[in-house]
Amino acid sequence: MSDALSEAIPVLLVAAPILAATLPLVFGLRFDRAGWLFTTLTTSSLFVATVVLATVVYSEGTVIHQLGGYPRAYGIELVADRLSTTIALLVTGTSAGVLAYTRLGGPRGNTFYSGYLLLVGGLLGLTFTGDVFNMFVFLEITGLATYALIASGDGPESAVAGLKYLIVGTVGASLYLLGVGLLFMATGTLNMIELAEAIPQAQGGYENTLVRAAFAFVFVGFAIKVAQWPVHAWQPDAYQHAPDGVTPLVAALVSTVSAYALARVMYTVFTVDFLTQTPYAREIVITVGAVSVVAGSTLAVIQRDVKRMLAYSSVSQFGLVVAAYGLVTETALVGAVIHLVGHGIMKAGLFIAAGVIALGYGARTVDEYAGLAARRPVVAGGMAVLLIALIGIPPSVGFVGKWYIALGAVQAEVWSVAAVIFLSTMLTLAYSARLLEKMYFTPANWLEDPHAPDADVVATDGGSGPGLTRQSDRARPDAVSIGMLSIVVVAAVLAVALGFSGDLFYDWLEPFVSEVFN
Amino acid sequence: MIEYLDTHYTYVLAFVLLAIGLYMMIANENLVKKVIGVNLFQTAIFLFFVSVAYVEGGDAPIVPAETNPGELLVASPLPHVIVLTAIVVGVALTAVALALIVRIYAEYGTLREDTLREVRADE
């Protein structure tokens, strides 16, 4: 493939979804269901384009595009290397897959699909950008689209959750911006590759107070965006109250891409030398991650609502990733990236399954899942496989990620992280097993099951309050489509199949990782 | 210390504003005032960027065509451009926040967070 064409792909990937976001609105004036069609066409073509880009990156190395032809010193670059392409594949693949649920599962309306495409564009921009200020802009585009999508739920709760996320998320992005400002003061550049060279040359090198303060601000900003304990409080509300069609997308991608951006800034901008030479930098990152792992999974165990439980589980899984960043070994970094991808696929599948169950069965709490396996064998089976993968039982992608991170912890001789990984597996087992036990071994009790579709209660509780009506109204078995079930199955199959591809992942990421560590 | 304050008082001012904005976000029960706090927080960062760009004795970075550009002393234009972009982002953010607040007010009939908590607990 010619250079000019392959260089254009990253630009297309960022610009196309943002431009296409206008189409559902325009065509929506004439056709009611235009949004889904355009979004599906756009996201599937984006996925194909990303696959093409991945083959180019594989055969010819990193693809760099300078926007408008301006040189690196003051222009903006889009960089597609092995790491960003991996994340782009996850973003485009998941965003195309989730549409199989939203076609019938909602939220309906063309404005929703405009927001959907804006979010995809923002995420891809965040993935490919090679400029730290541009990263802030895409962080905010992603954020704005996410706030709007979360608030698009029927109930008033979703607006409150959206506003909470907006306020906290803005503080996170603003702190990141402050860090960028301090870096600019110290070095006078905003390009990531130039920053990596300019930081050691700044006055005092890595000991420069501005550089150290910048790292602190950037890390705290991203910790908020990735939802690390104790600044995770926005996340469970947002995931729980978002519409069922939005949660899989947000849970699988938004925090994942923020976590990727943190890795990018830590390893490409500040570099391994900064992390190892700055006292307490690694220790703080590891501590934040490890505490999030324990706090997140402990809180997940005590939740009643399934979506909320899965949300707290995300806090702990991202804690694992952040702790792996702090280990600063090649193996742990590869493990973190595998876990990012694996967690994205598993959480997308789990949240879609939770949506399908709420739609066809009316069950939202752990107790209401009783006896699910007998009546909804396909979706219960998919969910069970994904939960087992999340625990990290081989063969599954959850196991591969955790294995590499644990290996990295042993190599770095940070035994506390190895212990935390073991503990987190136990706690993940605790909350997953609770759900598995309800689905497979607790018989459904009709009298204690007010939201069941054919219980008598349903007919009478029509106007008893927004929470109750919503649940029982949604219990329509015929609303579950083949597309929804197949996407759950695809996610489960992927979670298992990728469990065999640990070596593949390692070989694919090896050039990037060895470049970062040398 | 006094000398530092004399030349760098804008930095101090920016961080005081930043703290006030953060405090408003946390302590104020009114949702609209929380959003004003967010705006203040962001504006403080913008002011910080602008004061970083200041060059003593420098003019605005608008270079006239006829003179030799190298001889002009101007403030750094890049932080200004950054702030301009960030202001646009901030405006969009405020718009979304206010739209959400309008919806919350329509649904719950209150703008106060403590009342909101009581209303939601009752449901």
Side-chain angles (χ1 to χ4, degrees), chain A residues 308-334:
Chain A
R308 206 173 173 82
M309 183 192 91
L310 293 174
Y312 277 110
S313 140
S314 282
V315 174
S316 87
Q317 303 295 332
F318 280 115
L320 210 56
V321 171
V322 170
Y325 291 163
L327 291 172
V328 196
T329 67
E330 295 190 20
T331 329
L333 186 57
V334 171

Side-chain angles (χ1 to χ4, degrees), chain B residues 11-93:
Chain B
Y11 292 0
V12 180
L13 198 71
F15 277 89
V16 168
L17 273 179
L18 192 101
I20 294 175
L22 196 62
Y23 180 76
M24 271 179 86
M25 261 183 268
I26 297 167
N28 215 306
E29 296 284 357
N30 190 307
L31 292 177
V32 177
K33 288 181 184 170
K34 272 186 199 287
V35 174
I36 296 174
V38 174
N39 282 331
L40 203 59
F41 186 82
Q42 286 190 308
T43 311
I45 296 174
F46 302 160
L47 285 176
F48 178 69
F49 266 83
V50 171
S51 43
V52 165
Y54 178 71
V55 176
E56 207 173 338
D59 283 333
I62 305 164
V63 183
E66 61 269 23
T67 49
N68 186 2
E71 289 174 2
L72 279 173
L73 189 64
V74 293
S76 168
L78 193 59
H80 291 101
V81 179
I82 286 178
V83 168
L84 215 54
T85 317
I87 287 174
V88 176
V89 172
V91 169
L93 211 93

Side-chain angles (χ1 to χ4, degrees), chain A residues 133 137 140 144 151 153-160 162-163 166-167 170-171 174 177-178 181-182 184-185 190, chain B residues 11 15 25 31 34 38 41-42 45 48-49 52 78-79 82 85 89 92-93 96-97 100-101 103-104 107-108 120:
Chain A
F133 177 70
V137 175
E140 287 287 45
L144 281 169
D154 300 330
E157 298 269 339
S158 63
V160 180
L163 186 67
L166 185 144
I167 291 175
T170 306
V171 173
S174 301
L177 180 63
L178 200 53
L182 296 175
F184 181 74
M185 277 174 86
L190 291 170
Chain B
Y11 292 0
F15 277 89
M25 261 183 268
L31 292 177
K34 272 186 199 287
V38 174
F41 186 82
Q42 286 190 308
I45 296 174
F48 178 69
F49 266 83
V52 165
L78 193 59
I82 286 178
T85 317
V89 172
L93 211 93
V96 175
L100 292 181
I101 290 176
R103 228 187 104 194
I104 293 171
E107 302 265 12
Y108 291 110
R120 291 172 74 190

Side-chain angles (χ1 to χ4, degrees), chain A residues 195-272:
Chain A
L195 272 173
E197 290 160 9
I199 289 174
Q201 289 162 11
Q203 203 178 13
Y206 292 130
E207 287 176 21
N208 188 320
T209 317
L210 282 173
V211 173
R212 286 185 175 179
F215 180 77
F217 277 116
V218 167
F219 180 69
V220 173
F222 275 123
I224 294 177
K225 283 280 181 186
V226 180
Q228 291 297 283
W229 195 88
V231 281
H232 68 281
W234 60 269
Q235 194 242 35
D237 279 349
Y239 286 11
Q240 185 189 358
H241 298 304
D244 290 339
V246 172
T247 317
L249 190 72
V250 174
L253 298 182
V254 175
S255 290
T256 308
V257 177
S258 299
Y260 151 80
L262 174 62
R264 180 60 82 190
V265 172
M266 275 175 76
Y267 284 92
T268 303
V269 176
F270 283 96
T271 68
V272 172

Side-chain angles (χ1 to χ4, degrees), chain A residues 256-306:
Chain A
T256 308
V257 177
S258 299
Y260 151 80
L262 174 62
R264 180 60 82 190
V265 172
M266 275 175 76
Y267 284 92
T268 303
V269 176
F270 283 96
T271 68
V272 172
D273 288 339
F274 174 84
L275 295 172
T276 46
Q277 285 175 27
T278 307
Y280 302 116
R282 289 179 57 210
E283 284 80 353
I284 289 171
V285 174
I286 290 176
T287 311
V288 168
V291 172
S292 299
V293 171
V294 178
S297 31
T298 314
L299 286 166
V301 173
I302 58 174
Q303 297 304 318
R304 286 179 56 234
D305 188 282
V306 173

